[in-house]
Amino acid sequence: MSTAEETAGGEAQPWGEVTPDAARRLLLAAVEAFAERGYHATTTRDIAGRAGMSPAALYIHYKTKEELLHRISRIGHEKAVDILRTAARAEGTPAERLADAVSSFVRWHAGGRTTARVVQYELDSLGPGARAEILALRRQVDAEVRGIIEEGVRSGDFDVPDVRGTTLAVLSLCIDVARWFNVDGPRTPEEVGELYADLVLRMVGARGTGAA
Amino acid sequence: MSTAEETAGGEAQPWGEVTPDAARRLLLAAVEAFAERGYHATTTRDIAGRAGMSPAALYIHYKTKEELLHRISRIGHEKAVDILRTAARAEGTPAERLADAVSSFVRWHAGGRTTARVVQYELDSLGPGARAEILALRRQVDAEVRGIIEEGVRSGDFDVPDVRGTTLAVLSLCIDVARWFNVDGPRTPEEVGELYADLVLRMVGARGTGAA
């Protein structure tokens, strides 16, 4: 389903910070195994084998399978916060920053779809402590997008009757790109990002978009 | 994670047509097991056990685990086509029919989220023949929504530069409700359906919505 190159390649992947190299290779192997077979069907032995290592070598870096999932999920969510915060704090009008946030977030979900699927679909496999930490990061993701929309409403640039619901829908639209995006399909990640930025500006009733 | 009542309950569930009763109980047990543990981590023995039956009794109705997933996926997709076709063929303006299609589809994904997750996330676990059949049903789902949008563009009710991309985004938005919807959250399926119908009318630039 996925290759090491696909999950590792490109700037969309946030694994560069993971050291040493063996720990990074194990995370990549875990992403591939979870994506192909699911978290519960994957053993630490499978992951070590994919990384060309022994189970004993894996335990030097990760004590449990859950620790691998937790680490993958934390890195993925921290990167999501970083992408959206960068867009939210940039120069420009609320419409420009919202369009930038959406197109960046979409490109990242298209490019890192294997990781994104694992992170999104295996959330319930985390234990309570790890889950609480990830949910706190998700609230930050939500707050960054909501902040841009609130600012646009205050300035009169946007017309949004339900800011919380619209924020949720905008994020949902971007996240689901990881489910359907196909590298062999007709659109590049950049093209989907542009289309979605336009659709989201319509959703928030940005001036000059949408209805005749 | 899910209870038999949750997956079985309510009009959102399409299992009423499955007979005899033992075959229906096995499908429900398979949905629960796949949702909790993933397709690959689930055995036919697990499924039979959840249904209170022996593995031998399961094989009377389903020859393989894949046959169960295929059946679940086919029933789910046929119901999706039915919901959207009903909305597309109803009386009313394109805006009324698109709003109806979106709110019905959202309510169904919120109410039947356990089934919807299995159907969406385990698509790659189907063999080539089953997968081709399901992809044909997905093209019908797409065609129903695209048909309403095209009609609105022709009549001048909608303003949509990219009909195919917008259709994809509308369906994606509705489908992802199954990922995030939470019965303990602040919104009912009906409320999400209404919000999303409004957001989609903005996405298609329906007259009287969106930008000031």
Side-chain angles (χ1 to χ4, degrees):
Chain A
M1 313 257 296
S2 64
T3 65
E5 199 179 344
E6 182 183 302
T7 46
E11 59 179 331
Q13 291 305 322
W15 311 121
E17 68 190 60
V18 181
T19 57
D21 180 61
R24 183 170 55 246
R25 274 163 48 215
L26 286 162
L27 275 194
L28 282 166
V31 167
E32 287 175 29
F34 295 157
E36 274 187 35
R37 304 270 306 163
Y39 177 77
H40 293 289
T42 299
T43 63
T44 49
R45 179 173 292 273
D46 297 334
I47 296 167
R50 276 179 188 258
M53 292 165 64
S54 69
L58 182 147
Y59 290 118
I60 294 171
H61 301 284
Y62 305 100
K63 287 193 186 59
T64 61
K65 185 172 72 164
E66 195 209 324
E67 189 179 332
L68 279 154
L69 179 62
H70 183 189
R71 189 82 189 270
I72 291 163
S73 192
R74 186 167 57 209
I75 292 172
H77 279 89
E78 283 171 348
K79 183 70 186 170
V81 172
D82 181 52
I83 287 170
L84 295 173
R85 186 165 288 167
T86 300
R89 296 187 180 175
E91 299 280 316
T93 64
E96 286 164 350
R97 284 181 287 135
L98 186 58
D100 184 32
V102 167
S103 58
S104 309
F105 208 45
V106 163
R107 287 196 305 272
W108 184 60
H109 276 90
R113 64 201 163 282
T114 310
T115 304
R117 286 181 188 195
V118 168
V119 166
Q120 295 296 340
Y121 304 163
E122 298 289 6
L123 194 64
D124 290 340
S125 302
L126 292 172
R131 201 176 144 80
E133 186 199 81
I134 299 303
L135 291 177
L137 287 167
R138 290 169 86 91
R139 283 191 291 274
Q140 286 184 48
V141 163
D142 189 88
E144 292 297 342
V145 172
R146 196 172 68 243
I148 308 175
I149 295 177
E150 281 169 346
E151 207 181 312
V153 169
R154 273 197 303 274
S155 66
D157 289 306
F158 298 163
D159 163 32
V160 181
D162 179 346
V163 169
R164 284 194 176 267
T166 302
T167 300
L168 192 160
V170 168
L171 287 168
S172 170
L173 191 65
C174 298
I175 289 168
D176 196 50
V177 169
R179 180 183 57 83
W180 63 259
F181 186 79
N182 177 357
V183 273
D184 302 320
R187 295 167 197 269
T188 65
E190 288 68 28
E191 287 166 347
V192 179
E194 274 183 47
L195 169 66
Y196 273 42
D198 174 64
L199 290 172
V200 166
L201 290 182
R202 287 166 171 243
M203 285 164 73
V204 299
R207 283 187 297 208
T209 63
Chain B
M1 313 255 297
S2 64
T3 64
E5 200 179 345
E6 183 182 301
T7 47
E11 59 180 332
Q13 291 304 321
W15 311 119
E17 67 190 62
V18 181
T19 57
D21 180 62
R24 183 170 55 245
R25 274 163 48 213
L26 286 162
L27 275 194
L28 281 166
V31 166
E32 286 175 31
F34 295 158
E36 273 186 36
R37 304 271 305 165
Y39 177 78
H40 293 288
T42 299
T43 63
T44 48
R45 180 173 291 273
D46 296 335
I47 295 167
R50 276 179 188 257
M53 292 164 65
S54 68
L58 182 147
Y59 289 118
I60 294 171
H61 302 285
Y62 305 101
K63 287 193 186 57
T64 62
K65 185 171 72 164
E66 195 209 324
E67 191 180 330
L68 278 153
L69 180 62
H70 183 189
R71 189 81 190 271
I72 291 164
S73 192
R74 185 168 58 209
I75 292 172
H77 279 89
E78 284 172 347
K79 183 70 186 170
V81 171
D82 180 53
I83 288 170
L84 295 173
R85 186 165 288 166
T86 300
R89 297 186 180 174
E91 299 281 315
T93 64
E96 286 164 349
R97 282 180 289 135
L98 185 60
D100 184 32
V102 166
S103 58
S104 307
F105 208 46
V106 163
R107 287 196 305 272
W108 184 60
H109 277 91
R113 66 201 161 281
T114 309
T115 304
R117 288 183 186 194
V118 168
V119 165
Q120 295 295 341
Y121 305 162
E122 299 289 5
L123 195 63
D124 290 340
S125 302
L126 291 173
R131 203 176 141 80
E133 187 200 82
I134 299 303
L135 290 177
L137 287 168
R138 289 170 87 92
R139 284 192 290 275
Q140 286 184 47
V141 163
D142 190 87
E144 293 296 342
V145 171
R146 196 171 69 243
I148 308 175
I149 295 177
E150 282 169 345
E151 207 183 311
V153 170
R154 274 198 302 275
S155 66
D157 289 308
F158 299 163
D159 163 31
V160 181
D162 179 346
V163 170
R164 284 193 176 268
T166 303
T167 301
L168 193 159
V170 168
L171 286 168
S172 170
L173 191 65
C174 298
I175 289 168
D176 196 49
V177 169
R179 180 184 57 82
W180 63 260
F181 186 80
N182 178 356
V183 272
D184 301 321
R187 294 168 197 268
T188 65
E190 288 69 29
E191 286 165 349
V192 179
E194 274 183 47
L195 169 66
Y196 273 41
D198 174 64
L199 290 171
V200 166
L201 290 181
R202 287 166 170 242
M203 286 163 74
V204 299
R207 283 187 298 207
T209 63

